[in-house]
């Protein structure tokens, strides 16, 4: 079911379904990657909505041993710069 939600770009529901399956198969690497990709895509959606703190939290859920970790870290650096710029504009 998680794959169907993912194809429909419903990453919230895909994540929920994949997390349910993960309870039964905690060491499944393919499932772990699916969850990471859902977190990454949720983060991207938050950035598009200018919800930078939420985006940063989603990107931060991706583990160092994950293939998309480097991309997530780049996104976090960009978000930190945006947040710093916003703060300096408000001062």
């Amino acid at each position: 079911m998680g794959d169907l939600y993912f194809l429909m770009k419903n990453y919230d529901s895909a994540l929920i379904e994949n997390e349910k399956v993960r309870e039964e198969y905690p060491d499944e690497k393919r499932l772990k990657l699916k969850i990471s990709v859902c977190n990454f895509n949720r983060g991207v959606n938050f950035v598009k909505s200018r919800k930078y703190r939420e985006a940063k939290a989603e990107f931060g859920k991706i583990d160092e041993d994950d293939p998309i970790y480097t991309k997530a870290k780049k996104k976090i650096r960009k978000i930190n710069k945006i947040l710093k710029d916003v703060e300096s504009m408000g001062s």
Side-chain angles (χ1 to χ4, degrees):
M1 197 67 182
D3 290 341
L4 178 62
Y5 285 127
F6 187 88
L7 290 172
M8 294 170 37
K9 298 185 180 187
N10 184 341
Y11 304 118
D12 295 337
S13 295
L15 184 61
I16 290 167
E17 291 299 319
N18 286 326
E19 289 287 358
K20 287 179 190 176
V21 175
R22 189 177 192 183
E23 290 175 14
E24 293 179 43
Y25 304 98
D27 299 324
E28 178 62 40
K29 289 183 182 182
R30 185 167 175 261
L31 184 59
K32 183 179 173 186
L33 179 60
K34 286 181 181 184
I35 290 169
S36 293
V37 172
C38 284
N39 287 326
F40 187 87
N41 288 336
R42 284 169 43 97
V44 169
N45 286 340
F46 282 130
V47 168
K48 289 178 181 176
S49 300
R50 297 184 179 190
K51 295 179 180 179
Y52 299 114
R53 286 180 176 76
E54 292 90 339
K56 186 176 173 180
E58 287 301 316
F59 293 131
K61 293 177 184 177
I62 298 170
D63 293 332
E64 287 184 37
D65 61 342
D66 199 291
I68 61 173
Y69 177 76
T70 304
K71 287 183 179 182
K73 282 298 173 193
K74 283 182 184 178
K75 295 284 188 186
I76 290 172
R77 283 194 298 273
K78 285 183 181 180
I79 290 168
N80 285 338
K81 183 179 179 332
I82 291 168
L83 292 174
K84 185 178 177 183
D85 291 346
V86 168
E87 285 178 15
S88 67
M89 289 171 61
S91 300

